[in-house]
Amino acid sequence: MGTFRRLLGFLRPYRRLWAVSFVLALLAMGVTVLSPALIGHAIDRIRDGDKGGLTEFAVALALLGIGRMVLTIGRRLVAGRVSLGVEQDLRDRLYGHLQALDLGFFDRWQTGQLMSRATVDLSAVRFFLGYGLVFVVQSLLTVVLAAIAMTIQQPLLALACLVPAPLIVFVGHAYGVRGRPAQQDAQQAVAEVTASAEESISGIRVVKAFAAEDRRQEAFGEAVEHAFQKQLRAVRIDASFQPVVQFLPQISLAIVLLVGGRMVVDDTISLGQFTAFFVYVMMLVQPLRSLGVMLGLGQRATASGARLFQVLDRAPDIVAPEGAALRTLPLATEGAAIGAVEFDDVTLRYPDQDTPALSDVSVSVLAGERVAIVGQTGSGKTALVQLLPRLYDPERGRVLIDGVDVRDLDPTALRHEIAIIDDDPFLFTATVAENIAYAAPGATRAEIEGAARRARAHEFVTELPDGYDTVVGERGLTLSGGQRQRLAIARALLAGPAPGTAERPGDAGQGPRILVLDDATSNVDASTEQEITAGLREVMRGRTTLVIAHRLSTVLLADRVVVLHQGRVADVGTHQDLVERSELYREIVTYGMADQVFLSREDRPTEVQEA
Amino acid sequence: MSTPDAPRGRGTFLADVRRRRAATRGRGRRIRNLFGMLRPYRGRLVLLGIALLLSTGAMLAPAPLVQRAVDDGLADGDLDALTTLVVAFVVISLIGLVASMALARLVGWLGARLLSDLRERIFRHLLTMPVAYHERQRAGVLVSRMTNDVDALQQMISSSLVTLVQSLLLLAGSIVILLTLDVKLALITFTTIPVLLIGSLAFRLASVDAFARTRETIGAITAHLQETLSGVRVIRSYGRERAHLDRFTELGDDNRAANMKTVYLNAAYFPAVEYLSTAAIVIVLLVGGHEAIAGAVTIGVLVGFVTALDNFFGPITDLSNVYTTFQSGMAALDKIGDLLEQESTLTDPEHPVAVPSPLRGELRFDHVTFSYGATKAGVTATTVLDDVDLVIPAGATVALVGATGAGKSTIAKLATRFADPTEGRVLLDGVDLRDLRQNDLRSRMGIVPQEGYLFSGTVAENIAFGRIGATREEVEDAVDRIGAREILDALPRGLDTTVGERGTSLSAGQRQLVAFARALIAGTPADRAGGDDEAQRTLHRGIGGPAILVLDEATANVDLRTERRIEEALATLLEGRTAIVIAHRLSTIRTADLIVVVDRGRVVESGSHEELLQQGGAYATLHRDWQHGTEDAAAALP
Ligand SMILES: Nc1ncnc2c1ncn2[C@@H]1O[C@H](COP(=O)(O)OP(=O)(O)OP(=O)(O)O)[C@@H](O)[C@H]1O
Ligand SMILES: Nc1ncnc2c1ncn2[C@@H]1O[C@H](COP(=O)(O)OP(=O)(O)OP(=O)(O)O)[C@@H](O)[C@H]1O
Ligand SMILES: [Mg+2]
Ligand SMILES: [Mg+2]
């Protein structure tokens, strides 16, 4: 019941329109209910041979019909607006909420499950709120109005006719109790079907690579079969309740015939009155039939609503602090570099995991410094850098940028201060230019090209069929691996000019103060990497940079190196220091040396040391 | 696609009508196909027909009954006759109740069954479509076909279609009843039919575009949502939620506008239909009334007639009420039909050749030219591979090197028949790949694509994905053989750790290790390979596994130490297998039997490491880049 009431809450912004639509429906129904009485009178006139009276009533009936038509048109327009409004509100609300949720949430929810909620469940809810509810109200209204009309004309017969009415309430309730859980199960099973489909389609290359089509088909078939069984259960319940609701007016019809017939013979009522009653009850057949169906839709909507609230009720873990605590990062001033980063005794545990991914990590990075993070696969390198833009919050400890705890900042503002290149670059279905300008939508074509040039992407982009306007497929799958990575680099490089180098210092348009490269060139060949590095150097100037890399060439770009091992800091120092004292690091150098692009010391930029 | 707001001058009006008519063409066939899918459930269909007839019959009963009641019972004051009629009525109603219960069950069953079958069919179809198709289609749109559109169809079938059939039956029954009651009045009533037909046709033509738009826009919404969910990390990293919200609202507005158009059309159409019924009653009362006064018809007939009119127009109103669902369902059927009618460009041959046995594993590229299909009509696709002529000897390890975008992954794609050459042939042991069944071919290969993808499940499940029926021992063995034991054991629950969708709860390197182990599981299991086939056993030394390995930057995200361990393992692993290795790291490349240098879609050099160095060509230059500065690093070592 709670769910249903909450769903009704979505109608609140449309209270007025809803009231209008209700009044219009009420009037239309009132008009409709008058018709049988008019027909009854007309019949009586015919019996009396009164042609003039017949014409009068016939004209009245025709006018009534026009009135009803106008009212119905009005109601449809209003109700349609409400329905579409509710639909969009619901969808926006769900989408907005998904945008507010933290990454930890998405780790645990399958895309297909979320999509199923946003499609099938949402449409069930809006269908009911938008159309079904009006029908239910209208049907009930018809019953009530017909009852009133009948009572006015012949109370005794009316009473007899309405004997089955309370049964509606009883049957409706029993239906709700049994139907809703069945519907909820069915919806869940359908969501599993969606999830299964979504995964197989997204992973189609792997499915094909391992000739696993039949296996996936089988798994999908099982999910579908499971959903089918669950749906059947819901169907069975529907099938045993809905016809009963529809059967009720038949009982009334029998009563009219039996009781009313006798009354006509007794002369208690006229034949016209009898006809009117019969028509009244006939008039209820239709509304009650749709009432049965709509009750079913109501069950479904409530079940779906419960599933929507599962998502909507999950509060985001990472939110902007209350206004008072909200702080801003210090702006760049002449001479003082910004972008100092401090990880202060940080422990990170991913949701539902026992072992922490990072334990007691303390690292401080000076403003404008370049620090490389190295370590074995799974040692926590990515985990560490993603604390900066607050993709996750540490369980213990603090992350500070220029002395401000990242939790005291507005997350969006914070994230604009950090340009990050992921170890799994993601591109959107959009043009190359749009993808590069993702973080800076106002960028001009020249700026976009500049960033692409620095990332060594310009050459290949110009060779694409439509150049910068070529649409890359989903996830950028129509590009080669290295091309994808270079676009991701260009995207980060376009984020804006380095702080302090902007025309007017402290300008709102100034770029991020921190650059994070997470294994950004892993799919790029040695020669191209060398070229990209040259472009990167330009961008790193004046920016704090964290580089994660396995290649020695990239590691050597940094002033200092942090070695992570199993989520802990194993060592920190310069290349020279670490070669001498860190076993782990020495291993990297020995293995890496043979085949890495290796920049000589002379080639390395020295501005930062000077600054 | 269709532009609902296309300018509509006088001259284009007819053309527009013609186009709209064409838009709905093929629907008949598609509906027939849809019902063709019901053939296996013929028994239930027959039952459904019976239940439908019974319940419709029960619905039609009141009108004739009331006529009899008025004329026989009430007029003569014959109460016994009345009672008999009521009893008959109650019995008929009860039969109707039982029939409707059966009907609801049968319809629910058939509807759910049909759509389950349809989902499976769409899914199967999508699996047969080539990778190139999926690279261009947005997964969200495809999923939308299986969710939104199938759902719309389900609503159409389970509610509208029965209403449709039932209404038509009621209509037919009412026509008969009206005719038996009074022919003249009946004929007067029927004059409304042509009005209705013309009105409905006009409505259908007017609303085709609007309903198609609603399906398209909802598809776009779903696709955007899907992409937002997959790219959530990037969105968060750059704090771009606002932009996505705005875009979403925009898409929502489009959808709403499309829907609003259907609301306008509906608001004009349905009340008009309803009014027709009132008009008919008025005419019947007037004409019939005068006749009754003149004594030409009885009042009972008139009452019965008015009641029967309700049954005549009731279904018409009903029909109009379900018309929206019906239109949505039809539009959905169009979209699903379009999808299913797209033919795969990469099909299995009618008479597939068996994979040569024993499989030596020689791959030959015979003057292969390849280009990815043009993105747009009129734009010529650039050639990605240009006359590649290449032999990968059986059992040899071949390294493909070259700049990014040179075409290395494309060569691997052609070798695994993810795509067919535009010109030339790819041969396995002398057999054109196009003559083999794709599954036979790929089940002999172990492939690590550049874009590793893991399914939600555990690490072990993902590795076992490599082959049907892979055992836990084989999984463990594969992990050991690539030297990933230590790293994967360190996961919270070892090999039983759940990896999350796409493997998001693993690190990038861990994901690659899992994908690598998965590739080793593919191929023939050890026992069979070592069993009856003598040649196979000697070839693979009884260890089984894939005869051909394709490793596309399989260790790019793995740290050097782990990679080292993998390389050591590879030395024994690759023995006796054909391997195509794409890598950017020299250590991997140097040990290959053959190094092939690819540049802008051409093979520019090939040979062993030493040979190529001596030639002093592209490879030598590349090597100089690698070597560059090593002395400096060496100097830093103690
Ligand atoms: N979303 C997540 N949920 C649960 N565990 C996770 C998640 N992401 C990473 N992990 C685990 O946390 C540990 C650290 O992962 P991280 O991605 O930081 O490694 P990494 O050092 O970046 O490795 P690589 O070089 O392979 O990218 C790993 O053991 C990984 O399995
Ligand atoms: N699905 C596709 N549709 C259209 N063009 C594509 C597609 N896949 C790749 N290309 C183009 O074909 C060319 C060769 O790509 P390929 O993936 O073979 O390069 P690669 O040598 O593997 O490069 P990398 O080392 O970066 O992975 C590139 O220019 C790329 O843009
Ligand atoms: Mg990582
Ligand atoms: Mg590639």
Side-chain angles (χ1 to χ4, degrees):
Chain A
M1 208 65 245
T3 307
F4 188 69
R5 201 163 310 140
R6 290 184 67 189
L7 285 180
L8 288 185
F10 284 108
L11 285 175
R12 194 160 304 140
Y14 302 95
R15 252 171 317 193
R16 272 220 201 110
L17 282 180
W18 224 88
V20 170
S21 138
F22 183 79
V23 169
L24 288 174
L26 198 72
L27 288 176
M29 280 299 113
V31 169
T32 312
V33 166
L34 281 181
S35 317
L38 288 180
I39 295 175
H41 280 294
I43 297 276
D44 281 344
R45 286 302 97 80
I46 295 169
R47 169 175 252 188
D48 302 345
D50 175 2
K51 286 188 183 176
L54 170 64
T55 316
E56 272 171 34
F57 278 106
V59 170
L61 202 60
L63 289 178
L64 223 54
I66 291 180
R68 185 167 82 153
M69 179 165 74
V70 172
L71 289 169
T72 315
I73 291 177
R75 181 187 60 71
R76 274 184 172 274
L77 290 179
V78 176
R81 208 170 284 274
V82 172
S83 159
L84 295 178
V86 167
E87 173 176 10
Q88 199 169 10
D89 288 355
L90 261 172
R91 205 184 287 128
D92 283 353
R93 167 91 188 275
L94 182 66
Y95 188 80
H97 192 70
L98 286 175
Q99 288 291 20
L101 283 168
D102 41 284
L103 285 182
F105 171 84
F106 295 95
D107 286 346
R108 271 165 303 158
W109 279 74
Q110 276 178 296
T111 306
Q113 282 281 353
L114 295 174
M115 300 226 336
S116 173
R117 276 172 179 72
T119 55
V120 179
D121 286 317
L122 198 125
S123 102
V125 169
R126 68 100 206 180
F127 195 76
F128 181 69
L129 285 186
Y131 296 99
L133 206 55
V134 179
F135 271 105
V136 169
V137 172
Q138 198 174 323
S139 303
L140 291 177
L141 220 57
T142 315
V143 175
V144 171
L145 287 179
I148 292 173
M150 291 194 288
T151 311
I152 290 173
Q153 294 177 24
Q154 214 346 295
L156 220 61
L157 187 53
L159 203 65
C161 279
L162 292 173
V163 166
L167 280 177
I168 297 179
V169 178
F170 174 73
V171 172
H173 179 70
Y175 185 20
V177 170
R178 295 196 45 204
R180 205 169 309 146
Q183 284 292 354
Q184 199 151 349
D185 281 357
Q187 300 293 77
Q188 174 60 22
V190 169
E192 278 155 25
V193 170
T194 312
S196 169
E198 199 272 341
E199 265 205 311
S200 293
I201 293 172
S202 298
I204 189 79
R205 287 181 186 222
V206 173
V207 171
K208 286 191 178 274
F210 292 96
E213 286 99 328
D214 292 346
R215 278 178 280 156
R216 289 310 283 186
Q217 177 79 45
E218 209 172 285
F220 183 77
E222 267 164 33
V224 167
E225 198 54 38
H226 179 71
F228 173 65
Q229 293 301 339
K230 293 285 178 205
Q231 281 179 336
L232 268 201
R233 215 167 67 99
V235 161
R236 268 187 225 122
I237 292 172
D238 280 359
S240 29
F241 282 102
Q242 286 181 9
V244 175
V245 176
Q246 294 159 13
F247 176 67
L248 296 177
Q250 306 283 334
I251 302 179
S252 296
L253 278 182
I255 294 174
V256 174
L257 280 178
L258 202 62
V259 180
R262 263 154 231 273
M263 290 170 106
V264 173
V265 175
D266 294 352
D267 258 344
T268 321
I269 56 172
S270 71
L271 186 59
Q273 276 178 314
F274 172 82
T275 311
F277 255 82
F278 199 79
V279 177
Y280 272 124
V281 180
M282 284 296 287
M283 216 171 68
L284 294 184
V285 172
Q286 212 37 56
L288 283 179
R289 188 150 17 124
S290 58
L291 186 66
V293 175
M294 289 306 152
L295 281 181
L297 287 181
Q299 308 296 348
R300 212 181 138 193
T302 317
S304 288
R307 289 165 49 72
L308 286 176
F309 286 123
Q310 283 174 351
V311 175
L312 291 177
D313 289 345
R314 163 72 157 72
D317 281 346
I318 293 176
V319 287
E322 291 297 314
L326 199 67
R327 294 182 58 187
T328 47
L329 287 173
L331 294 170
T333 48
E334 209 80 38
I338 56 167
V341 171
E342 175 151 17
F343 296 97
D344 180 14
D345 205 17
V346 171
T347 296
L348 169 71
R349 198 190 301 272
Y350 284 108
D352 304 333
Q353 306 270 292
D354 318 322
T355 41
L358 295 172
S359 325
D360 312 320
V361 172
S362 292
V363 174
S364 28
V365 180
L366 302 177
E369 194 184 15
R370 283 176 231 154
V371 171
I373 304 172
V374 300
Q376 225 181 354
T377 278
S379 55
K381 304 180 292 295
T382 303
L384 185 67
V385 295
Q386 71 192 4
L387 295 178
L388 273 180
R390 242 190 127 198
L391 297 181
Y392 291 86
D393 270 343
E395 183 183 80
R396 242 171 339 102
R398 297 182 306 161
V399 180
L400 307 165
I401 295 179
D402 287 327
V404 183
D405 191 322
V406 292
R407 277 172 297 198
D408 293 338
L409 294 163
D410 170 50
T412 310
L414 164 71
R415 287 164 189 170
H416 287 162
E417 292 292 341
I418 299 158
I420 192 163
I421 304 169
D422 238 332
D423 58 3
D424 181 15
F426 182 95
L427 299 179
F428 292 94
T429 312
T431 65
V432 169
E434 282 163 350
N435 265 299
I436 296 178
Y438 181 69
T444 63
R445 190 46 73 88
E447 287 168 325
I448 292 173
E449 281 183 22
R453 262 181 234 278
R454 265 179 277 162
R456 290 298 169 273
H458 181 72
E459 295 77 8
F460 88 79
V461 171
T462 46
E463 281 171 22
L464 291 173
D466 297 320
Y468 280 89
D469 297 316
T470 310
V471 174
V472 302
E474 200 165 50
R475 296 182 161 263
L477 283 182
T478 53
L479 298 174
S480 87
Q483 290 170 341
R484 228 163 21 235
Q485 274 194 334
R486 281 179 283 162
L487 288 190
I489 295 174
R491 175 169 68 191
L493 296 193
L494 186 63
T501 62
E503 314 278 276
R504 283 158 291 157
D507 204 340
Q510 83 184 182
R513 55 186 79 195
I514 299 167
L515 183 66
V516 180
L517 308 169
D518 190 352
D519 220 357
T521 51
S522 57
N523 286 319
V524 171
D525 63 286
S527 311
T528 309
E529 193 203 4
Q530 211 171 3
E531 289 166 15
I532 294 175
T533 316
L536 277 178
R537 249 193 251 124
E538 210 173 297
V539 183
M540 288 193 284
R541 193 172 301 143
R543 277 200 176 98
T544 310
T545 309
L546 297 177
V547 217
I548 297 177
H550 297 301
R551 293 188 186 181
L552 193 55
S553 50
T554 321
V555 172
L556 286 171
L557 280 174
D559 308 315
R560 273 194 308 149
V561 180
V562 176
V563 184
L564 284 184
H565 188 63
Q566 297 182 348
R568 292 175 186 276
V569 176
D571 216 330
V572 186
T574 62
H575 172 70
Q576 207 69 38
D577 297 343
L578 291 180
V579 164
E580 274 160 30
R581 62 168 191 255
S582 167
E583 174 108 32
L584 263 160
Y585 190 71
R586 203 157 40 233
E587 210 172 359
I588 291 173
V589 176
T590 331
Y591 293 154
M593 200 175 54
D595 52 52
Q596 296 304 320
V597 184
F598 205 56
L599 296 163
S600 63
R601 297 242 149 212
E602 293 76 55
D603 290 347
R604 296 178 56 212
T606 45
E607 310 81 18
V608 177
Q609 279 111 331
E610 285 161 9
Chain B
M1 296 187 71
S2 49
T3 40
D5 300 315
R8 226 182 298 146
R10 267 205 149 277
T12 58
F13 177 76
L14 269 183
D16 192 47
V17 168
R18 224 170 287 133
R19 179 187 61 74
R20 282 164 191 249
R21 270 194 60 80
T24 58
R25 201 160 294 148
R27 278 191 177 172
R29 180 171 43 83
R30 283 173 177 167
I31 292 188
R32 245 174 285 128
N33 282 343
L34 191 66
F35 284 104
M37 290 174 66
L38 280 177
R39 205 160 296 139
Y41 316 115
R42 229 168 299 156
R44 279 196 164 79
L45 265 179
V46 171
L47 286 180
L48 182 134
I50 295 171
L52 194 59
L53 283 176
L54 283 178
S55 69
T56 314
M59 279 185 202
L60 285 169
L65 280 177
V66 73
Q67 183 258 327
R68 294 281 294 280
V70 171
D71 286 349
D72 299 355
L74 303 188
D76 317 342
D78 183 352
L79 288 181
D80 286 345
L82 185 66
T83 314
T84 319
L85 278 172
V86 172
V87 170
F89 177 73
V90 169
V91 171
I92 291 176
S93 301
L94 280 175
I95 293 175
L97 173 67
V98 174
S100 344
M101 284 183 164
L103 182 67
R105 270 188 185 221
L106 285 166
V107 169
W109 192 95
L110 284 168
R113 185 72 264 167
L114 182 64
L115 295 164
S116 298
D117 291 354
L118 190 63
R119 281 203 174 97
E120 286 195 46
R121 196 159 135 191
I122 299 174
F123 187 75
R124 184 173 311 127
H125 181 75
L126 288 178
L127 286 187
T128 59
M129 292 308 278
V131 168
Y133 173 82
H134 288 280
E135 278 163 353
R136 298 200 182 282
Q137 289 290 323
R138 304 170 70 181
V141 171
L142 300 180
V143 172
S144 179
R145 296 285 166 267
M146 265 186 276
T147 55
N148 291 321
D149 290 339
V150 170
D151 202 51
L153 256 186
Q154 178 150 24
Q155 285 198 10
M156 170 176 113
I157 288 177
S158 57
S159 64
S160 323
L161 223 50
V162 169
T163 316
L164 177 77
V165 175
Q166 199 160 38
S167 302
L168 290 179
L169 282 176
L170 270 178
L171 209 59
S174 304
I175 289 176
V176 173
I177 291 174
L178 288 179
L179 281 172
T180 41
L181 282 174
D182 189 277
V183 177
K184 188 172 164 200
L185 286 182
L187 289 180
I188 293 176
T189 313
F190 298 157
T191 52
T192 52
I193 291 179
V195 179
L196 262 177
L197 284 182
I198 293 172
S200 299
L201 182 69
F203 176 70
R204 201 179 84 180
L205 289 180
S207 60
V208 166
D209 285 348
F211 281 103
R213 273 296 292 159
T214 61
R215 303 319 304 167
E216 278 159 25
T217 47
I218 192 75
I221 287 178
T222 314
H224 178 77
L225 177 73
Q226 205 262 355
E227 207 166 11
T228 306
L229 293 175
S230 343
V232 67
R233 219 185 137 82
V234 182
I235 299 171
R236 292 291 179 286
S237 302
Y238 286 100
R240 298 286 297 148
E241 289 83 356
R242 191 72 256 157
H244 285 261
L245 283 170
D246 291 347
R247 175 83 189 120
F248 192 75
T249 308
E250 227 171 79
L251 290 172
D253 286 342
D254 285 352
N255 181 247
R256 186 180 178 149
N259 272 317
M260 205 59 215
K261 212 160 261 175
T262 69
V263 167
Y264 289 139
L265 288 165
N266 290 344
Y269 177 67
F270 302 135
V273 172
E274 267 177 357
Y275 185 69
L276 265 186
S277 83
T278 311
I281 290 181
V282 169
I283 295 171
V284 165
L285 278 179
L286 278 178
V287 178
H290 282 92
E291 298 214 328
I293 292 173
V297 296
T298 65
I299 294 194
V301 166
L302 209 56
V303 174
F305 208 92
V306 172
T307 319
L309 271 185
D310 221 47
N311 265 338
F312 179 73
F313 283 102
I316 293 178
T317 325
D318 264 7
L319 276 182
S320 22
N321 276 331
V322 296
Y323 204 80
T324 320
T325 14
F326 197 76
Q327 283 287 337
S328 302
M330 286 314 295
L333 187 63
D334 283 344
K335 294 283 167 213
I336 292 173
D338 287 346
L339 180 80
L340 289 177
E341 282 160 22
Q342 285 250 332
E343 287 192 12
S344 173
T345 47
L346 208 90
T347 47
D348 281 332
E350 236 168 87
H351 306 288
V353 174
V355 173
S357 178
L359 183 63
R360 295 187 306 116
E362 182 206 65
L363 276 166
R364 176 190 290 270
F365 281 69
D366 180 15
H367 295 283
V368 169
T369 296
F370 179 77
S371 60
Y372 289 98
T375 41
K376 275 194 293 194
V379 179
T380 43
T382 40
T383 306
V384 174
L385 293 183
D386 187 7
D387 195 31
V388 169
D389 208 34
L390 180 67
V391 180
I392 298 171
T397 301
V398 173
L400 299 181
V401 299
T404 98
K408 305 180 293 296
S409 299
T410 306
I411 291 181
K413 260 189 222 170
L414 291 177
T416 48
R417 202 170 174 230
F418 276 156
D420 281 334
T422 318
E423 274 168 53
R425 301 178 302 165
V426 182
L427 308 161
L428 174 64
D429 283 0
V431 182
D432 193 323
L433 293 191
R434 281 172 290 207
D435 294 336
L436 299 170
R437 278 191 48 210
Q438 296 172 59
N439 276 0
D440 289 347
L441 171 71
R442 293 193 202 117
S443 58
R444 307 304 300 276
M445 298 181 148
I447 305 169
V448 185
Q450 196 164 5
E451 306 77 20
Y453 182 97
L454 302 186
F455 294 95
S456 43
T458 66
V459 169
E461 282 164 7
N462 267 290
I463 297 176
F465 187 84
R467 179 169 45 77
I468 315 170
T471 62
R472 178 74 182 202
E473 288 73 52
E474 286 171 299
V475 169
E476 307 247 353
D477 183 49
V479 171
D480 281 333
R481 276 198 280 155
I482 59 163
R485 166 66 65 185
E486 187 198 329
I487 286 169
L488 295 184
D489 269 355
L491 290 171
R493 285 177 200 80
L495 292 182
D496 296 312
T497 309
T498 48
V499 303
E501 201 176 35
R502 287 174 184 278
T504 43
S505 53
L506 296 184
S507 82
Q510 288 165 344
R511 277 200 291 274
Q512 283 198 326
L513 293 179
V514 175
F516 205 137
R518 174 172 67 188
L520 285 185
I521 291 270
T524 16
D527 50 348
R528 250 187 290 149
D532 37 69
D533 197 329
E534 186 66 28
Q536 196 94 54
R537 187 175 53 202
T538 36
L539 200 58
H540 296 153
R541 303 205 158 62
I543 52 167
I548 301 165
L549 268 174
V550 179
L551 311 176
D552 194 350
E553 302 192 22
T555 55
N557 295 108
V558 172
D559 65 290
L560 293 169
R561 185 191 206 182
T562 310
E563 195 197 20
R564 197 66 167 188
R565 217 170 300 154
I566 295 176
E567 252 151 41
E568 280 158 17
L570 274 184
T572 47
L573 260 177
L574 295 184
E575 236 175 288
R577 295 178 216 275
T578 308
I580 301 177
V581 181
I582 301 173
H584 291 305
R585 295 185 188 172
L586 182 61
S587 46
T588 320
I589 296 162
R590 201 166 39 188
T591 52
D593 302 313
L594 180 72
I595 297 171
V596 176
V597 183
V598 186
D599 185 37
R600 297 179 158 264
R602 290 171 163 279
V603 171
V604 290
E605 276 177 356
S606 67
S608 72
H609 178 67
E610 283 74 23
E611 284 166 15
L612 290 181
L613 276 190
Q614 265 174 8
Q615 278 178 23
Y619 183 77
T621 319
L622 211 59
H623 191 251
R624 253 197 307 285
D625 270 342
W626 273 314
Q627 292 281 306
H628 183 62
T630 23
E631 303 81 28
D632 205 27
L637 282 177

